[in-house]
Amino acid sequence: MLSDKSSGGLPVHIGFIMDGNGRWAVKRGLPRKLGHREGAQAFRKIARYCKKIGIKYVTFYAFSTENWKRPKEEVDELMRLFREYLDEVEDYARENTRLFFLGDKSAFDGDMARKMADMEEKSAGFDGMTLMLAMNYGGRDDIVHSVRKIAEMAANKEIRISDIDESLVSSLLYTGGIPDVDLLIRPSGEKRISNFLIWQSAYAEYYFTDTLWPDFSPKELDKALEDFASRKRRFGGV
Ligand code: IPE
Ligand code: IPE
Ligand code: MG
């Protein structure tokens, strides 16, 4: 779904690639896991700030389908951290924030996956802000997931091949019903998308900064928003 915001103003949907935790720690002679802890603090701060300034949709990339390749100790530490996140995001639910997880939950331990589904259900009616956590998320996996559902519908004769269009593919992504990303922020100096919302960022504005995620502050977000507001979005038009 393309956002109707053509230029200026606040983005409707911001995506954050929370990158640079490891380097933040290594620079200080600390173990990488402390960088992830510090990154979780930045997530808390930025999520609250987005709500305060009136952002409607915000997605945080917390763990990619590729991040399972990391050493077991690091993956285990990240899973421990996610359990803590889950305890906290329950607080957001009390603040009229709708919670949503993007990615295949079945890769997580049963209790964790249940908790995620439970929180989505409990917060479904909230309309203050929609907070999405991309966990075990990959943009390609997202598209495959949508295509599988479409194939199933076609096999069951619920749709004809000619019914397959962009809006059908979009609606069956993990983000079904959520507006596309307007502003995509990647800290840490890397200039790549790393399999984040690839379909949904087709017309996103990108903001790159060398700041490492644990140091990413509301002030830096203000800078990104200012930059965003100054851009002219054309969506292929003139
Ligand atoms: C992002 O920080 C966190 C995850 C990918 C889970 P990194 O761990 O990738 O930090 P760097 O890129 O190694 O500094
Ligand atoms: C992207 O960061 C994934 C998340 C922040 C969750 P990575 O650190 O995994 O990305 P690459 O490997 O540098 O592309
Ligand atoms: Mg990284």
Side-chain angles (χ1 to χ4, degrees), residues 8-196:
L10 274 183
V12 174
H13 183 175
I14 309 182
F16 292 96
I17 299 180
M18 301 194 282
D19 194 24
N21 296 345
R23 277 164 284 172
W24 183 93
V26 169
K27 241 174 66 181
R28 287 164 177 76
L30 300 169
R32 288 175 59 86
K33 68 176 185 189
L34 289 182
H36 293 310
R37 300 227 148 242
E38 206 59 28
Q41 294 288 28
F43 157 73
R44 291 173 186 115
K45 238 186 346 217
I46 297 298
R48 289 228 147 72
Y49 187 65
C50 285
K51 173 127 189 284
K52 186 176 140 205
I53 61 176
I55 303 296
K56 280 295 187 198
Y57 301 91
V58 56
T59 305
F60 292 90
Y61 200 12
F63 194 85
S64 74
T65 46
E66 287 72 33
N67 287 147
W68 297 105
K69 286 187 213 153
R70 295 189 176 202
K72 185 177 182 301
E73 310 81 76
E74 180 160 346
V75 171
D76 288 349
E77 174 60 24
L78 284 164
M79 293 303 139
R80 263 195 297 281
L81 206 59
F82 292 153
R83 281 175 189 280
E84 290 175 28
Y85 267 93
L86 288 183
D87 288 337
E88 279 175 34
V89 279
E90 274 191 323
D91 294 342
Y92 295 106
R94 282 190 277 275
E95 296 167 21
N96 196 28
T97 295
R98 180 173 164 221
L99 299 165
F100 224 79
F101 295 91
L102 310 181
D104 178 7
K105 297 183 186 69
S106 70
F108 299 108
D109 287 346
D111 65 314
M112 227 172 129
R114 270 192 301 279
K115 198 160 183 186
M116 288 156 88
D118 187 46
M119 277 155 71
E120 286 178 338
E121 211 174 294
K122 278 193 193 138
S123 68
F126 296 155
D127 60 1
M129 176 173 88
T130 298
L131 171 70
M132 286 161 284
L133 272 169
M135 276 166 58
N136 187 30
Y137 178 85
R140 288 183 170 182
D141 179 61
D142 198 358
I143 294 167
V144 168
H145 173 254
S146 170
V147 168
R148 283 208 176 129
K149 287 195 210 159
I150 291 172
E152 217 175 276
M153 287 158 82
N156 295 336
K157 305 255 186 291
E158 291 160 36
I159 54 164
R160 286 165 306 193
I161 300 294
S162 58
D163 293 327
I164 302 173
D165 60 9
E166 292 187 13
S167 79
L168 183 66
V169 175
S170 275
S171 70
L172 296 169
L173 294 170
Y174 287 116
T175 47
I178 305 285
D180 280 350
V181 178
D182 297 296
L183 174 62
L184 198 150
I185 298 181
R186 179 159 195 159
S188 92
E190 311 297 355
K191 292 181 182 63
R192 54 178 172 254
I193 193 163
S194 300
N195 205 12
F196 193 35

